[in-house]
Amino acid sequence: VTAPAVLDVHDLRVSYAGAVQALRGVSLSVPEGSVVAVLGNNGAGKSTLLRALSGTLPAQNGAVTGGTIAFAGREQPRDAAAIARGGLVQVPEGRRVFSNLTVEENLRAGGLAAPDKAARAEARAWVDELFPILRERATQRAGLLSGGEQQMLAIGRALMASPKVLLLDEPSLGLAPKIVERVGEVIREINDRGVTVVLVEQNAAMALSVADHAVVLEVGEVALQGTADELAESEAVKERYLGVP
Ligand code: ATP
């Protein structure tokens, strides 16, 4: 028995500058409480999918040109702030923290999207527990943290908004293998607390090790989808994404 979908994407189409069609009719369903991995090569449309979900397509040239997104059974509003307050929160690619602000200030900024004070306090206690290093570095400027610490801060900042669904864009990018492993564990811990996760990754091995379901995008279309175990066993995935000859 599969849990009901918290996020339902149907025939989603996105174009940039009216010309490049980055998503050509993508449908996928994210069961509540699951981790869904989105795999694919550079330019396959993974980031575009996340940006469409979080309402953060670049306003000057990106647009949803067709299809529907339903979040918690309702049609998704188009406004990014409303989407975040509703519980769909994105951790952007390249762990974009506010480098001139302190760790503490970054976390507070994340808390602005929390539904209320109680939720914010609860999230803060959880973030402190998940990332003790952030408490130690509370007064340091975020730009001075290591890459791994910045990724933890970017995740912590998103958790401060009490997400129902967390969208992660390539959290392992540029990190040492040990840190990538830690990121995987953190994703599991977050999911164990009931947060649904959509994980965009080029590191297919890491993504499939933490995900329940996975979707492979190729040139803006869903090429494969199934359980993470099925995809990890698929010859096409092994050959193209896991580097197994
Ligand atoms: P990557 O891992 O490189 O981020 P991706 O799978 O996330 O790859 P997208 O970034 O979603 O892929 O890009 C999908 C397509 O849309 C590509 O052809 C890309 O060049 C194009 N694209 C992405 N962002 C923009 C933009 N702001 N303006 C114009 N084209 C864009």
Side-chain angles (χ1 to χ4, degrees):
V1 187
T2 333
V6 63
L7 200 52
D8 231 323
V9 177
H10 182 69
D11 199 29
L12 188 66
R13 291 159 193 274
V14 174
S15 291
Y16 288 107
V20 181
Q21 222 195 325
L23 297 185
R24 305 158 179 269
V26 167
S27 298
L28 66 106
S29 167
V30 178
E32 183 153 25
S34 66
V35 177
V36 173
V38 180
L39 311 177
N41 291 327
N42 269 329
K46 306 180 301 297
S47 298
T48 299
L49 173 63
L50 282 201
R51 287 192 216 118
L53 295 177
S54 60
T56 56
L57 285 168
Q60 71 282 12
N61 71 352
V64 172
T65 57
T68 54
I69 300 170
F71 174 48
R74 293 203 200 150
E75 195 182 330
Q76 181 76 309
R78 289 264 63 89
D79 164 48
I83 292 172
R85 276 196 308 276
L88 190 61
V89 179
Q90 182 170 359
V91 180
E93 188 177 4
R95 41 187 172 275
R96 265 175 283 149
V97 294
F98 303 118
S99 30
N100 288 321
L101 299 186
T102 65
V103 167
E104 178 68 31
E105 287 162 342
N106 269 274
L107 293 176
R108 284 211 197 128
L112 295 176
D116 55 42
K117 221 173 142 181
R120 207 172 292 138
E122 196 185 321
R124 185 49 197 264
W126 184 26
V127 168
D128 282 349
E129 187 193 316
L130 255 182
F131 306 118
I133 188 78
L134 297 183
R135 208 174 29 201
E136 281 168 37
R137 310 250 149 134
T139 58
Q140 278 191 21
R141 275 179 45 198
L144 299 177
L145 301 179
S146 70
E149 289 163 354
Q150 288 189 22
Q151 184 61 65
M152 301 308 168
L153 178 56
I155 295 173
R157 188 179 60 183
L159 291 179
M160 286 299 296
S162 302
K164 294 189 184 75
V165 178
L166 192 66
L167 307 173
L168 287 159
D169 197 350
E170 306 235 10
S172 78
L173 197 70
L175 300 180
K178 252 200 120 81
I179 315 289
V180 173
E181 208 174 292
R182 177 67 195 137
V183 170
E185 285 168 10
V186 161
I187 293 170
R188 275 219 197 91
E189 289 175 40
I190 291 170
N191 181 245
D192 283 346
R193 287 261 196 142
V195 179
T196 304
V197 176
V198 179
L199 170 63
V200 159
E201 263 299 339
Q202 286 211 38
N203 186 333
M206 185 274 248
L208 291 175
S209 77
V210 300
D212 303 300
H213 302 270
V215 174
V216 177
L217 289 185
E218 279 173 11
V219 220
E221 289 183 279
V222 175
L224 292 165
Q225 63 179 316
T227 67
D229 292 342
E230 281 164 4
L231 290 200
E233 287 306 313
S234 130
E235 292 305 323
V237 169
K238 280 192 205 164
E239 204 175 291
R240 275 180 257 168
Y241 302 100
L242 294 169
V244 182

